[in-house]
Amino acid sequence: MGTETELKLSLAAEDIPLLIQHPLLSTPPKRLKLYNTYFDTPDLDLTKQRVAVRERRVLRKTLLTVKTAQRSEGGISQRSEWEAPTLPGRFDFATLIDDANLAEALSLKAAQLVPVFTTDFSRRVWTLSFRRATIEVALDQGTISVQRDELTREQPICELELELKQGNPATLFALARMLSRHVRLHPADESKAARGYALFLDTRHVPSKAESLSIQPRATTIAVFQYITRSCIAQLQANESGIRSPQDEEYVHQARVALRRLRTALRLFADALPTGFAERWSNAWRDVAQELGNARNWDVFCTEQLPLLDQDLGEHPDLLALRGFAHQKRLAAHEAAKVCITSKAYSLNIISFCEALMNLKDSTDTIRTYATKALRRRHKRFVQGAKLAHTLNAEERHEVRIDLKKLRYTLDFFESLYPKKRVQAFSRALASTQELLGHMNDLATAEVLMAERDTSETDVPLAWAKGRMSAYLEMLPSALKPVIKLDTPWEK
């Protein structure tokens, strides 16, 4: 058995000539033609168990390969792999696999295995010595193909695989950064097998929400920071496809949430990180956050504020003009967000950040004390602002809302460290208060967005927003009072 450690990167086919001109790829590559057939039972039992069985044909040789569940750490995938020569259609798992339980389980299913999909691609291979590591660089170009229900569906393959043969896994990101000099290389977590199954099942992407985190009380502070920020990057990347080809504004929302959580984590752990680390990377992600934030603001305005304006103002001339203006602004904001996340700078940011995470030196302190201090600090700041919220202007109230969001994100990060029932009660109270502050912020944002128009002094939609804000201001003190007095779950 071997352990495969690799970083997968997508690239545009038209960029291949530029990529292979890189000095690190100056030696002639080894060329292979690979045809793979992936097998499973009719009920797809193997993929449900996160096992892949593949026959690979290379010239006149056939290889049988078994791979187990892919584990991803900061964009680098690791999985167990067994591979040996075989005869086509002969699944001799007993002699291939040294894990007795897995070998027996697969042997029992061998007679049921049928082809599910194929991959057919050309591979160019370089073996590099890079920073005291040995890395195999494989450039693959071809297709994934599924034949089902008398239809053939295909998907292109154009990717670069960096497989660590010896050395520090962080060098995979360092090499990716170096190879990104002239072309866009984008970290892509999905294996060819995962993509093949998705094509077979005709799986549709859906917006990805933040995953629940489970933190061990004895975990070190740096290890927890790496765990949290990697989950944020994973959520961000899981929503990229919906931003590239707009299907649902929820993709923008969830990608923005991922970046807000990421930047919150950077500030939250600033004291535990090397000097300047948090500020540098918070600034590095700021432009992406602003583009997504602008798109999200116009989404909220068009889907939430305009319908309310319709109810109250109907066919008022000012509202008719506003609809067209908002529609154009929303399209432009989404296009800007798309340009941002398909840029070379964005991809390089992900590569460089993941490299920086892997190069952090672990700490000796454990997370529980750090988490409690952070929550106390966040809570104290929020309560101070909340007590004065009804007297503040829109900008100052926005800061109170941001403090509440930071408190909620911090509690989300650390909730597994505290009693579940107390966390749930506190979170529910925060959520209801955040909803009201959110409505108020949406109105304040709507005023800013509407102010971008050239209008007369009597702007009816703007007057509507100001009137609605007055009603919310009257509700604010009673909404904040229970949260200010609520027992916190991190205090005994």
Side-chain angles (χ1 to χ4, degrees), residues 125-332:
V125 182
W126 296 262
T127 301
L128 306 182
S129 295
F130 180 78
R131 296 188 180 180
R132 292 179 289 182
T134 302
I135 300 172
E136 182 181 278
V137 179
L139 175 60
D140 295 340
Q141 197 173 10
T143 57
I144 301 171
S145 182
V146 168
Q147 289 187 326
R148 189 178 186 188
D149 301 327
E150 299 182 353
L151 294 174
T152 299
R153 291 197 296 272
E154 290 188 342
Q155 194 176 95
I157 295 171
C158 190
E159 61 189 31
L160 196 69
E161 290 184 356
L162 310 183
E163 184 175 349
L164 186 70
K165 298 298 184 180
Q166 184 180 358
N168 184 342
T171 57
L172 295 179
F173 284 111
L175 178 57
R177 180 167 47 80
M178 296 293 286
L179 293 175
S180 296
R181 180 182 298 176
H182 299 302
V183 300
R184 179 180 185 252
L185 298 175
H186 190 66
D189 200 30
E190 277 192 321
S191 66
K192 294 181 185 70
R195 291 174 60 196
Y197 276 110
L199 190 62
F200 178 80
L201 295 168
D202 198 20
T203 304
R204 294 287 184 264
H205 280 287
V206 295
S208 179
K209 295 185 177 182
E211 64 175 0
S212 296
L213 302 176
S214 179
I215 294 172
Q216 299 301 316
R218 294 186 180 181
T220 65
T221 303
I222 292 298
V224 171
F225 170 73
Q226 291 169 322
Y227 172 49
I228 290 171
T229 50
R230 284 167 180 160
S231 76
C232 295
I233 293 294
Q235 184 192 6
L236 174 64
Q237 289 206 258
N239 288 290
E240 289 170 353
S241 63
I243 302 173
R244 289 195 301 268
S245 53
Q247 307 163 33
D248 184 339
E249 63 268 10
E250 185 67 12
Y251 286 101
V252 169
H253 175 49
Q254 292 302 330
R256 187 192 188 198
V257 167
L259 276 176
R260 280 187 161 179
R261 287 166 62 88
L262 174 60
R263 298 181 79 207
T264 296
L266 283 163
R267 289 185 286 266
L268 181 65
F269 285 89
D271 294 342
L273 295 168
T275 303
F277 186 98
E279 183 179 6
R280 176 196 169 190
W281 286 108
S282 183
N283 290 338
W285 290 111
R286 181 178 54 205
D287 290 346
V288 186
Q290 287 176 346
E291 293 294 356
L292 292 175
N294 191 40
R296 176 60 181 167
N297 287 341
W298 282 109
D299 282 341
V300 170
F301 183 78
C302 290
T303 61
E304 297 181 19
Q305 302 300 319
L306 277 181
L308 293 174
L309 278 159
D310 280 336
Q311 289 177 18
D312 293 345
L313 302 183
E315 297 301 310
H316 192 283
D318 285 356
L319 182 54
L320 295 175
L322 177 59
R323 286 195 198 110
F325 175 83
H327 177 69
Q328 293 301 319
K329 283 287 191 177
R330 186 184 189 189
L331 289 177

Side-chain angles (χ1 to χ4, degrees), residues 417-468:
L417 298 173
Y418 304 102
K420 186 175 181 179
K421 289 185 178 180
R422 295 182 65 185
V423 168
Q424 289 176 337
F426 190 77
S427 293
R428 282 194 297 270
L430 288 185
S432 61
T433 303
Q434 186 176 340
E435 184 176 3
L436 175 60
L437 287 171
H439 288 319
M440 296 177 73
N441 182 68
D442 291 343
L443 275 174
T445 301
E447 291 184 36
V448 173
L449 297 179
M450 288 190 287
E452 295 183 22
R453 299 167 299 148
D454 292 326
T455 59
S456 62
E457 292 183 5
T458 56
D459 187 343
V460 174
L462 196 57
W464 172 91
K466 292 181 180 296
R468 200 172 183 88

Side-chain angles (χ1 to χ4, degrees), residues 367-393:
I367 191 60
R368 179 65 183 258
T369 300
Y370 192 93
T372 299
K373 286 181 179 178
L375 283 163
R376 285 172 179 162
R377 187 169 62 247
R378 293 278 194 211
H379 184 251
K380 180 179 179 181
R381 180 180 171 88
F382 165 67
V383 168
Q384 287 174 339
K387 287 179 178 178
L388 301 172
H390 62 289
T391 68
L392 304 177
N393 60 33

Side-chain angles (χ1 to χ4, degrees), residues 80-92:
S80 300
E81 178 182 19
W82 296 264
E83 186 171 74
T86 189
L87 296 174
R90 182 178 177 183
F91 302 109
D92 190 359

